[in-house]
Amino acid sequence: MSPQRITSDIVTRIGLKIDTGRNCTTWTRAILPARLGKMYSRILSRQYHSTKGVFGFRPKPRKEFQLDKHISEARVQRSNAFRWVEAYRNHAHRTASVDPVKFRPSDESVTERTLDYTRYGLTVNDRINPFGLVNTGASSTITTEQLQDLLQTMYCGTTSIELAFIEDEHEREWLAEQYERSFQTTLASIEKREIAELLLQSQAFDTFVATKFPTVKRYGGEGAESIMAFYRQLFRCAAEADLTNVVYRDTSTDLEVLGKTIHLNMLHNPSHLEAVNPVSMGKTRAKQLSLRDGPYGTSDCGDHPSRALNIQLHGDGAFVGQGINQECLMMADVPHFDVGGSIHMIVNNQVGFTTPGDRGRGTRYASDLAKSIAAPVFHVNGDDPEALSRVTKLAFDYQQKFGKDVFIDLNCFRRWGHNEMDDPTFTNPLLYGVIHSRDSVPDLYARKLLASGDLAQSEVDAIVKKHMDYLNSELQNLSSYQPEKSYFEKQWSGIVQAGSEVTTWDTGVDYSLLSLIAQTSVKCPEDFALHPHLRKHHVESRLKKIAEGTRLDWATAEAMALGSLLYQGFNVRISGEDIGRGTFSQRHAMFVDQNTNEIFVPLNELEGGNGGKLELANSILSEEAVLGFEYGMAIDNPNNLVIWEAQFGDFFNGAQIIIDTFLTTGETKWMVCNGLVMLLPHGFDGAASEHSSCRMERFLQMTDSRESTPDGDDVNFQVINPSTPAQYFHALRRQMIRNFRKPLVVVAPKTLLRLSECVSSHADLAPGTYFQPVLGDRHVADPKKVKRVVLCSGKHYYNLNAERVASGRGDVALVRVESLCPFPVQQIQEEMARYANAKEFVWSQEEHRNMGAWTFVQPRFENMCGKRIKYRGRYEGATVAVGVSSWHAKEAEQVVKSAFE
């Protein structure tokens, strides 16, 4: 809302009339706009997550920045010189010497035009006092030429910075001052020697691998060895800041740095480039939840950063080309996804597989996406590891101070192309002509230290020999090496790998506690302005259902399940688009004050219990990054129930990479277990193709369920299509009560949320009850008279039952297969045994024949139950549903009737 737009509304509200003509009073011209401005500011600050915050979100205190008046005065008095300095800060990066292969020329026009001091009315003989203009460390005036030399060194050398697009004045001023001040310090000789040793060791490793395994495809670090200086400085900064966790990309380990221990969480990374980035963000946030700091802290002060830090490593081509990076950046400062800023390192080797850098993007820099969130970017020449070390400290300090993302663009090269077996000269002959004719980064740096006397040749030789001896020794011990167990430890102790049997877990809860939980779920403070529709149709309706205890609906069962887990001490996080309210306006797990926009989460006020908390994370309109984020949270701690709800079931296809490479395969590939729940609203309700089906057939195909032998709990993930609130209740609780963790796909309902027949009784939730993989037909008067058994799943049961009642077919039994994977062979056999005279067995589904569960159910039923089964449902189709309502109605009627024909 613009100031102009709100003016008439506010003025009318406060009973004033504005005379916009020349004769208006001084009060109206001067005072009223000021008051309107303050009111407008308050309106703007009254956002969805506003002043008080909720669990998992603490509003960041906004501090007013005031530039020192002496600096302001200096800039006014020497405005020409200041404009010249600003030109360097804003534009000199385009002519900086940050390319180590010097293959692409810099923008000389910047030097000729924008950076020419004569353009700003300065002459070579001018003397300039740098105070307030640039941080030179000088205490007296200097000549224009001297200042130019300083600015060239700072902004046109082997490092440069982009900050013109940063809106916050405080950030810009801090960055410029700290960046310029960093040139006044140099590394100590011992620090240079440490960096040289790391670079030489990196080179020795690549040489060793090339010698011992010459025909094996590998991806070395040659050309980017200076990144070792980045890690060295980063870990030192982390230790000095007393950080306890650094979350990064393949095993986890404890590092001893400066006498302190830092736990380095290195995530397993699939071949899908950049897919691990949101996972690392989610893992970082889960660490913050465990530490109860950052967004989960109890302090009102926002100046204390979290002790967990997120690091992201990007390739130049992948960072530009993979959309998941944009999604991650758009989450960076969103409540409930904020991790306090990530430090990004772009390894810019100027070629993506065989694609030249300038063909892999349409922008000047590989880092340009950072501008979308106004994140500062440091450009560094990979031939200068000391400069990289200096910039790393700046990036770390910025992230710690402002809690925002920051980027380092490391300009380097790949000496041997995409991999060491590749020939890059096929497609990039000129670039690799330059690369192959130049010395390596470690050799250049060692030569520099030899010339300065910081290192002797004998020391260089000793470093290389010692590391090669170590590598040879390790290789000789390879045959006797036994990897250490790295799973089910620390917070995962007590969790085991699922077995080959199917286990049953008592997930029932005493109704007196469930009643308290459900009542709490709709209780808000007396002064809270609750929406009147919610008060009548949600709050009062739920209280009535609780009191009766026999017609509990889906949302009430969910609240009871989640609340009971909170009561037991588990944390619960629900993430997705519109999850607070629920896409179908069924959940209302959070209330929004109609006068103030403040949020209230009733279940977090639950009294008694062990203090679990509910986090409601309304997400951006993203699936891939958000699901990756939630997977990252789920793999950190088994005591956190993480739920991702798709707005509609088909939305999961935007996250297919995360599902394929992490969710369904993570345990098999890496022994990384997780209990993440995916809620996918599903049902043919006339909503046409895109929003009818969650494509359950795809999930069933991705399971490692067997067609001829019974499944166990050890399937890679589980798929259910529950048809009652009680079943959903037990499924959610089972995720946490079990002593193992498996991902769970819930083919979730839409129409069942309010279907009058879809209710459960308190008896269905009582101690001793549990999730039932199969719900038998208890409406059949005489099982011996049943001639046909129709198996179905989920919401479709209610359509079939309505038809059976209408047609009076007492000879048909309806059996609900609630668990599709693991496929419940034993329970189906037990139910089939009730119908000794049944001759026909039918699988009925809403979905097309080539979709839904049919192709999964048929071979398992026939192979393990020993009976032929017929298909009844829609024909084969390319789209999941028709787009004409009349056709849909006819199809739906035929599908139901065909089950009884």
Side-chain angles (χ1 to χ4, degrees):
M1 185 185 296
S2 66
Q4 292 83 355
R5 175 75 179 273
I6 69 166
T7 299
S8 59
D9 292 341
I10 294 178
V11 169
T12 300
R13 203 179 310 157
I14 62 178
L16 292 175
K17 180 180 180 181
I18 296 181
D19 180 358
T20 58
R22 292 185 177 180
N23 296 325
C24 60
T25 65
T26 301
W27 189 92
T28 305
R29 289 199 311 268
I31 301 177
L32 180 58
R35 294 194 177 183
L36 287 178
K38 291 180 180 179
M39 188 176 296
Y40 176 53
S41 176
R42 288 197 298 271
I43 290 175
L44 287 182
S45 68
R46 195 179 296 166
Q47 298 298 325
Y48 194 49
H49 287 273
S50 50
T51 59
K52 296 181 180 179
V54 291
F55 181 73
F57 169 69
R58 285 194 303 158
K60 296 179 181 178
R62 182 171 180 81
K63 298 181 179 179
E64 295 296 330
F65 174 72
Q66 186 68 42
L67 192 65
D68 185 275
K69 68 175 183 178
H70 299 295
I71 294 178
S72 299
E73 291 170 357
R75 293 177 179 179
V76 171
Q77 294 168 2
R78 298 183 289 280
S79 60
N80 286 355
F82 179 62
R83 287 192 298 122
W84 181 41
V85 170
E86 283 288 277
Y88 268 91
R89 289 173 174 170
N90 296 335
H91 304 291
H93 59 85
R94 288 156 50 191
T95 190
S97 300
V98 294
D99 187 353
V101 295
K102 299 179 175 62
F103 184 66
R104 297 175 181 85
S106 59
D107 190 347
E108 296 299 333
S109 63
V110 177
T111 303
E112 296 172 1
R113 298 195 305 268
T114 310
L115 305 184
D116 185 350
Y117 58 79
T118 62
R119 183 176 183 178
Y120 303 94
L122 301 174
T123 69
V124 69
N125 297 319
D126 290 340
R127 295 197 65 84
I128 301 170
N129 182 348
F131 172 77
L133 310 184
V134 59
N135 196 329
T136 65
S139 58
S140 59
T141 62
I142 56 178
T143 66
T144 300
E145 191 171 20
Q146 289 174 320
L147 180 54
Q148 180 175 254
D149 290 342
L150 285 170
L151 292 173
Q152 285 283 322
T153 299
M154 292 173 177
Y155 290 100
C156 300
T158 56
T159 67
S160 196
I161 185 173
E162 284 190 272
L163 46 70
F165 50 82
I166 297 177
E167 298 177 2
D168 189 276
E169 183 184 13
H170 186 195
E171 291 182 35
R172 288 199 312 275
E173 290 288 338
W174 185 92
L175 282 164
E177 179 185 2
Q178 297 303 316
Y179 177 76
E180 292 161 0
R181 178 177 294 174
S182 70
F183 285 87
Q184 299 167 27
T185 59
T186 58
L187 290 178
S189 179
I190 188 172
E191 294 183 281
K192 296 177 183 179
R193 292 159 61 92
E194 289 176 358
I195 292 174
E197 182 175 3
L198 290 171
L199 267 61
L200 290 167
Q201 288 175 342
S202 177
Q203 180 169 265
F205 177 78
D206 280 322
T207 301
F208 174 84
V209 174
T211 302
K212 300 297 183 181
F213 309 98
T215 61
V216 177
K217 182 188 290 186
R218 60 194 187 280
Y219 300 88
E222 292 172 279
E225 291 97 339
S226 58
I227 198 172
M228 303 301 289
F230 165 77
Y231 290 120
R232 174 191 173 275
Q233 184 61 56
L234 181 70
F235 295 143
R236 290 172 67 89
C237 288
E240 290 171 352
D242 291 326
L243 302 193
T244 58
N245 288 270
V246 175
V247 180
Y248 180 58
R249 297 180 160 179
D250 289 314
T251 56
S252 298
T253 186
D254 287 333
L255 298 177
E256 294 296 328
V257 183
L258 301 179
K260 299 179 181 179
T261 301
I262 301 173
H263 187 65
L264 179 63
N265 298 268
M266 300 181 68
L267 301 181
H268 297 285
N269 188 16
S271 294
H272 271 278
L273 301 176
E274 309 291 319
V276 75
N277 297 336
V279 179
S280 72
M281 294 171 68
K283 177 90 170 179
T284 303
R285 189 170 175 96
K287 291 295 181 188
Q288 294 170 345
L289 174 59
S290 297
L291 293 168
R292 280 296 197 268
D293 70 6
Y296 300 100
T298 57
S299 171
D300 292 332
C301 180
D303 290 338
H304 302 295
S306 170
R307 287 171 288 164
L309 172 66
N310 181 238
I311 307 296
Q312 294 187 32
L313 183 69
H314 310 281
D316 51 333
F319 182 69
V320 170
Q322 299 295 302
I324 195 171
N325 289 311
Q326 176 181 327
E327 295 182 19
C328 287
L329 293 185
M330 293 302 109
M331 290 195 304
D333 199 33
V334 172
H336 303 290
F337 295 90
D338 175 11
V339 296
S342 300
I343 297 178
H344 301 259
M345 163 60 75
I346 300 177
V347 181
N348 186 354
N349 54 46
Q350 308 188 56
V351 61
F353 202 168
T354 66
T355 304
D358 57 2
R359 302 294 179 89
R361 62 178 182 272
T363 62
R364 180 185 298 273
Y365 297 119
S367 59
D368 280 340
L369 190 59
K371 296 176 182 176
S372 66
I373 60 168
V377 178
F378 296 97
H379 301 284
V380 187
N381 189 316
D383 278 352
D384 192 345
E386 292 180 21
L388 179 57
S389 181
R390 171 169 50 83
V391 162
T392 300
K393 185 177 188 311
L394 279 170
F396 181 86
D397 290 345
Y398 172 85
Q399 181 273 336
Q400 290 286 289
K401 181 174 181 60
F402 294 101
K404 298 176 68 175
D405 288 45
V406 59
F407 283 77
I408 298 175
D409 174 24
L410 177 62
N411 290 263
C412 53
F413 57 91
R414 283 194 62 81
R415 179 165 290 278
W416 305 113
H418 179 253
N419 63 72
E420 280 70 7
M421 298 290 100
D422 187 39
D423 187 349
T425 61
F426 290 155
T427 52
N428 296 277
L430 298 183
L431 172 62
Y432 275 87
V434 175
I435 292 173
H436 290 161
S437 65
R438 56 156 287 158
D439 291 332
S440 71
V441 176
D443 288 347
L444 285 175
Y445 188 59
R447 193 177 306 155
K448 175 184 175 181
L449 298 193
L450 288 172
S452 65
D454 291 296
L455 204 60
Q457 184 62 52
S458 59
E459 293 175 301
V460 173
D461 297 339
I463 290 171
V464 175
K465 182 181 184 304
K466 180 181 179 181
H467 198 59
M468 292 295 278
D469 290 345
Y470 165 76
L471 294 173
N472 277 300
S473 174
E474 291 296 300
L475 183 60
Q476 292 174 4
N477 296 329
L478 181 63
S479 60
S480 61
Y481 171 72
Q482 293 293 327
E484 295 180 3
K485 177 185 174 183
S486 59
Y487 47 88
F488 301 141
E489 296 180 341
K490 296 182 178 179
Q491 67 266 35
W492 283 83
S493 60
I495 299 298
V496 301
Q497 194 168 16
S500 58
E501 71 285 351
V502 174
T503 55
T504 299
W505 297 83
D506 180 355
T507 48
V509 179
D510 186 87
Y511 191 67
S512 61
L513 175 58
L514 294 181
S515 177
L516 171 65
I517 290 168
Q519 291 177 55
T520 302
S521 72
V522 290
K523 186 178 181 181
C524 58
E526 293 183 1
D527 61 348
F528 194 90
L530 186 64
H531 194 290
H533 180 85
L534 289 184
R535 187 175 300 279
K536 180 178 180 180
H537 297 283
H538 180 71
V539 175
E540 295 178 4
S541 175
R542 177 168 294 183
L543 291 174
K544 182 178 179 181
K545 292 171 184 175
I546 296 167
E548 295 173 351
T550 56
R551 298 188 59 79
L552 303 173
D553 62 12
W554 204 274
T556 302
E558 179 185 78
M560 289 176 167
L562 300 184
S564 61
L565 290 173
L566 300 177
Y567 193 86
Q568 289 179 255
F570 298 105
N571 295 310
V572 178
R573 174 182 167 97
I574 310 179
S575 170
E577 298 145 19
D578 308 309
I579 53 85
R581 188 198 76 170
T583 297
F584 309 101
S585 198
Q586 86 286 0
R587 179 173 291 124
H588 297 292
M590 69 180 205
F591 295 146
V592 180
D593 190 294
Q594 298 299 296
N595 295 331
T596 66
N597 234 25
E598 294 291 346
I599 285 177
F600 181 74
V601 180
L603 280 177
N604 281 336
E605 305 302 314
L606 185 62
E607 296 181 356
N610 293 319
K613 290 294 183 180
L614 171 63
E615 182 173 13
L616 299 171
N618 279 317
S619 76
I620 65 173
L621 196 65
S622 155
E623 286 77 44
E624 185 178 6
V626 170
L627 184 58
F629 191 102
E630 304 312 325
Y631 173 83
M633 290 209 69
I635 62 175
D636 183 69
N637 196 315
N639 294 321
N640 299 332
L641 175 60
V642 180
I643 301 172
W644 178 71
E645 181 177 65
Q647 195 173 57
F648 289 91
D650 61 304
F651 280 27
F652 82 88
N653 53 27
Q656 194 68 58
I657 289 175
I658 302 298
I659 295 168
D660 289 350
T661 58
F662 289 102
L663 200 66
T664 67
T665 59
E667 182 177 351
T668 302
K669 292 189 294 189
W670 308 312
M671 269 308 298
V672 174
C673 299
N674 81 94
L676 184 133
V677 177
M678 294 175 62
L679 303 181
L680 306 178
H682 172 95
F684 284 54
D685 307 317
S689 297
E690 276 68 34
H691 295 337
S692 293
S693 174
C694 74
R695 305 307 294 257
M696 71 176 81
E697 64 276 4
R698 296 183 183 175
F699 292 98
L700 293 172
Q701 184 186 40
M702 285 188 287
T703 69
D704 55 5
S705 169
R706 298 174 291 274
E707 292 186 359
S708 301
T709 56
D711 293 331
D713 289 332
D714 57 350
V715 290
N716 59 333
F717 68 95
Q718 305 190 350
V719 182
I720 65 173
N721 191 3
S723 62
T724 72
Q727 287 283 84
Y728 179 49
F729 169 91
H730 290 299
L732 290 179
R733 286 188 46 77
R734 185 180 65 172
Q735 282 297 99
M736 305 305 290
I737 299 303
R738 295 188 295 202
N739 64 347
F740 63 89
R741 294 291 178 265
K742 287 287 182 178
L744 174 66
V745 173
V746 179
V747 180
K750 295 183 288 186
T751 58
L752 294 191
L753 297 175
R754 292 180 175 83
L755 187 67
S756 59
E757 301 99 303
C758 182
V759 292
S760 296
S761 167
H762 64 84
D764 301 324
L765 314 177
T769 58
Y770 51 88
F771 178 82
Q772 301 182 56
V774 172
L775 289 180
D777 195 335
R778 297 300 176 259
H779 297 292
V780 172
D782 187 354
K784 294 180 181 179
K785 293 182 179 180
V786 170
K787 303 300 182 183
R788 173 179 293 188
V789 177
V790 177
L791 289 87
C792 61
S793 189
K795 165 243 184 188
H796 188 49
Y797 161 78
Y798 294 94
N799 299 328
L800 294 173
N801 190 49
E803 175 64 22
R804 180 176 62 173
V805 172
S807 60
R809 293 293 300 272
D811 61 339
V812 176
L814 301 178
V815 176
R816 286 173 271 180
V817 181
E818 302 278 293
S819 171
L820 294 168
C821 183
F823 190 69
V825 175
Q826 180 180 345
Q827 291 85 352
I828 291 176
Q829 289 175 335
E830 292 172 354
E831 187 63 21
M832 293 301 102
R834 297 182 61 226
Y835 312 112
N837 297 324
K839 303 299 182 184
E840 291 184 298
F841 299 90
V842 170
W843 174 261
S844 179
Q845 65 179 38
E846 289 188 306
E847 301 80 16
H848 289 282
R849 187 177 185 128
N850 57 318
M851 305 172 193
W854 163 245
T855 56
F856 184 85
V857 169
Q858 183 194 20
R860 288 161 178 79
F861 183 87
E862 293 185 351
N863 291 341
M864 290 181 277
C865 295
K867 303 177 187 297
R868 299 283 293 175
I869 189 169
K870 299 178 181 179
Y871 171 79
R872 294 293 186 270
R874 283 176 168 81
Y875 48 86
E876 289 83 354
T879 60
V880 299
V882 298
V884 180
S885 59
S886 58
W887 291 2
H888 165 76
K890 290 179 180 179
E891 279 190 0
E893 181 181 3
Q894 179 56 35
V895 165
V896 172
K897 289 185 178 298
S898 68
F900 298 90
E901 293 174 354

